[in-house]
């Protein structure tokens, strides 16, 4: 292959294909427009000036586009992060908030390097489905205030926006339907002088770029102990939302992402954001769905463009952006809600076939998220529920059958299944200590020992037989079980 051919092969898709370039740029523009009211709203939640949220969205998106591990995912200021750091800003001031954002970034880098992303494999599919469905519900609920106590013209505008996004792709997909909807509704409201809430009503847009600087706090141990709990909570919430979003985009695009790189990238993005005076953030699932599922973006270009366009729109086209009716953005987010919700998971046909435990986990996840408005809490509670249900299910699979030799001198107990804390608790009660002959054989060829509780249970069985002058022989252990049993037997007195 010639040097020129090798160079062409190494070029990314967005450079090689003008169609991809157009899709990515237009998708980034749509996301930038959708980011503005969200960032302003989250600034209000955090108790800071709207420009702070917009600066955070700009620096997060631009930075993560370069250092992140999941292409086309949007990171910006988020409500989850705003909720975590709002008390710190309220009690100690903005300088402490910025310092916490920087420290949270450091925590995320450390957690990423330690392999926290590998914990994603322990999140069951039912939790993922609950996470996606609760996210869709939260996105819709966030639009409800924009449809309450508003002029009647808002409702036909929302309906028109939805109709455009449904039918315009049947005409052409060259331009993203959400962008067309936003432009058309803005032209209508401005041209006809229709008085409806606009983006400008949410707050003033910044007129200049952010300037880097150090947090305005005393660099003392007292400051560190004050911000550390908030920073660590922000790091965990941000990583959980980002990794869950990355997994969701993996499934939608049928591609793999580097979760460890994404974890570290989130940390770097938050450090950069903190030094630019932003409020921090993480992956935004709603905007990511606009970018990936609605607009069809697949590369880092859309993420970078979304952040860059955000500042351009605010600084250069601020007056124009301020005139965009909120109804247009509400319509986009409602469309995102329908695109995000896993309708197959709640179809009667699916529910009839799904195990009750799986449905319970999904419902618990959704209920926790909707009740707390915190995706991280829902994922943790859902995962714990799934583990409890799994443990109970597996514990019932452990069986003990007894066979006595014809001569009556030996009894063989065959144990089948997985022995761990849940199943081993019942193991001790399944032996006839008084009625068995003097020699007892416990055959574990069809079982596996997983933890200390199981070894302690076997020790307890041997002790009960020894108290009656009877001997116990344990046979059939596989290599891992034999190693664990040999290491712990006799050392766990009182553990059971």
């Amino acid at each position: 292959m010639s040097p020129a051919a090798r160079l062409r092969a190494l070029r990314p898709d967005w450079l090689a294909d003008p169609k991809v370039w157009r899709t990515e740029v237009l998708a980034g523009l749509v996301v930038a427009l959708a980011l503005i009211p969200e960032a302003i709203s989250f600034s209000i939640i955090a108790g800071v000036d709207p420009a702070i949220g917009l600066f955070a969205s700009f620096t997060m998106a631009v930075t993560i586009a370069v250092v992140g591990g999941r292409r086309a995912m949007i990171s910006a200021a988020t409500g989850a992060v705003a909720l975590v750091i709002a008390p710190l800003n309220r009690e100690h001031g903005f300088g402490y908030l910025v310092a916490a954002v920087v420290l949270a970034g450091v925590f995320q880098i450390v957690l990423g390097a330690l392999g926290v992303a590998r914990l994603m494999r322990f999140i069951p599919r039912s939790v993922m489905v609950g996470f996606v469905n609760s996210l869709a519900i939260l996105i819709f609920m966030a639009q409800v205030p924009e449809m309450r106590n508003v002029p009647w013209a808002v409702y036909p505008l929302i309906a028109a926006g939805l109709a455009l996004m449904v039918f315009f792709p049947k005409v052409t997909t060259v331009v993203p339907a959400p962008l067309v909807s936003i432009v058309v509704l803005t032209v209508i409201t401005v041209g006809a002088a229709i008085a409806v809430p606009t983006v400008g009503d949410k707050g003033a847009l910044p007129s200049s770029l952010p300037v880097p600087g150090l947090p305005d706090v005393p660099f003392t141990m007292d400051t560190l102990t004050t911000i550390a709990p908030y920073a660590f909570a922000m790091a965990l919430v941000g990583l959980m939302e980002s990794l869950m979003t990355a997994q969701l985009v993996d499934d939608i695009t049928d591609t793999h992402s580097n979760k460890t790189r994404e974890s570290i990238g989130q940390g770097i993005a938050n450090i950069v954001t903190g030094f630019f005076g932003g409020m921090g953030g993480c992956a935004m699932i709603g905007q990511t769905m606009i970018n990936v599922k609605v607009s069809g973006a697949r590369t880092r270009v859309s993420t970078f463009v979304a952040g860059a366009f955000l500042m351009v729109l605010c600084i250069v086209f601020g007056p124009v952006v301020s005139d965009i009716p909120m109804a247009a953005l509400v319509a986009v987010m409602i469309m995102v809600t329908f695109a995000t919700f896993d309708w197959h998971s709640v179809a009667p046909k699916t529910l009839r076939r799904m195990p009750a435990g799986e449905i319970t986990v999904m419902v618990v996840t959704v209920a926790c998220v909707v009740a707390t408005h915190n995706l991280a809490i829902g994922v943790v509670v859902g995962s714990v529920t799934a583990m409890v249900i799994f443990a109970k299910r597996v514990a019932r699979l452990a069986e003990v059958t007894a066979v006595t030799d014809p001569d009556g001198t030996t009894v063989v107990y065959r144990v089948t299944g997985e022995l761990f804390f849940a199943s081993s608790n019942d193991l001790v009660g399944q032996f006839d200590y008084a009625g068995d002959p003097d020699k007892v054989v416990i055959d574990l060829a069809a079982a596996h020992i997983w933890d200390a509780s199981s070894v302690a249970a076997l020790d307890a069985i041997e002790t009960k037989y020894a108290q009656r002058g009877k001997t116990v022989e344990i046979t059939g252990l596989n290599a891992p079980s034999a190693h664990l049993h040999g290491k712990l037997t006799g050392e766990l007195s009182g553990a059971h």
Side-chain angles (χ1 to χ4, degrees), residues 232-271:
F232 192 67
M234 175 184 163
L236 290 179
V237 169
L239 281 182
M240 186 172 294
E241 289 210 25
S242 298
L243 294 175
M244 292 288 285
T245 305
Q247 184 61 49
L248 179 58
V249 178
D250 287 357
D251 295 339
I252 292 172
T253 61
D254 197 23
T255 57
H256 176 71
S257 62
N258 188 330
K259 305 299 189 304
T260 297
R261 178 178 172 179
E262 182 61 38
S263 302
I264 296 173
Q266 287 289 328
I268 295 171
N270 272 305
I271 291 173

Side-chain angles (χ1 to χ4, degrees), residues 418-425 448-458 480-481 484-485 488-489 492:
E418 308 300 320
L419 299 182
F420 64 111
F421 61 89
S423 57
S424 60
N425 287 336
H448 186 95
I449 298 175
W450 286 103
D451 60 6
S453 296
S454 303
V455 177
L458 292 172
S481 298
L484 184 63
H485 183 265
L488 297 179
T489 185
L492 301 171

Side-chain angles (χ1 to χ4, degrees), residues 187-451:
V187 170
I188 291 174
T189 54
V190 173
I194 302 175
V196 292
T198 64
V199 170
D201 296 331
K202 289 290 183 180
L205 302 180
S207 57
S208 62
L209 289 171
V211 178
L214 293 175
D216 184 19
V217 294
F219 291 88
T220 63
M221 188 57 68
D222 286 342
T223 299
L224 181 61
T225 55
T226 299
I227 67 174
Y230 296 96
F232 192 67
M234 175 184 163
L236 290 179
V237 169
L239 281 182
M240 186 172 294
E241 289 210 25
S242 298
L243 294 175
M244 292 288 285
T245 305
Q247 184 61 49
L248 179 58
V249 178
D250 287 357
D251 295 339
I252 292 172
T253 61
D254 197 23
T255 57
H256 176 71
S257 62
N258 188 330
K259 305 299 189 304
T260 297
R261 178 178 172 179
E262 182 61 38
S263 302
I264 296 173
Q266 287 289 328
I268 295 171
N270 272 305
I271 291 173
V272 171
T273 298
F275 282 128
F276 275 92
M279 57 180 275
C282 61
M284 294 191 76
I285 306 178
Q287 273 64 22
T288 298
M289 290 300 100
I290 293 175
N291 197 44
V292 174
K293 203 161 188 178
V294 179
S295 301
R298 293 293 183 271
T299 77
R300 299 177 186 275
V301 174
S302 56
T303 307
F304 184 89
V305 166
F309 269 159
L310 177 62
M311 280 294 98
V312 172
L313 289 170
C314 292
I315 296 171
V316 181
F317 300 102
V320 176
V321 172
S322 296
D323 287 335
I324 295 175
M326 285 302 299
L329 298 175
V330 169
V332 171
M333 298 310 291
I334 291 176
M335 184 61 70
V336 170
T337 298
F338 280 94
T340 302
F341 197 90
D342 187 349
W343 298 101
H344 176 73
S345 67
V346 295
K349 183 178 179 181
T350 303
L351 294 176
R352 282 195 297 269
R353 296 180 177 180
M354 192 73 68
E358 301 285 317
I359 297 174
T360 300
V361 171
M362 181 178 70
V363 171
V364 166
T365 303
V366 171
C368 286
V369 173
V370 173
T372 64
H373 284 230
N374 191 319
L375 292 163
I377 292 176
V379 170
V380 171
V381 174
S383 297
V384 170
T385 304
M387 291 175 188
V388 171
I389 292 173
F390 174 76
K392 292 181 65 176
R393 186 183 302 156
V394 175
R396 289 197 294 268
L397 298 179
E399 296 181 353
V400 178
T401 56
V403 177
T404 305
D405 281 357
D407 58 8
T409 60
T410 305
V411 61
V412 178
Y413 284 92
R414 290 189 174 86
V415 182
T416 303
E418 308 300 320
L419 299 182
F420 64 111
F421 61 89
S423 57
S424 60
N425 287 336
D426 298 328
L427 189 64
V428 179
Q430 299 191 50
F431 292 81
D432 184 4
Y433 302 101
D436 283 341
D438 290 342
K439 184 177 181 181
V440 177
V441 177
I442 301 177
D443 181 7
L444 298 177
H448 186 95
I449 298 175
W450 286 103
D451 60 6

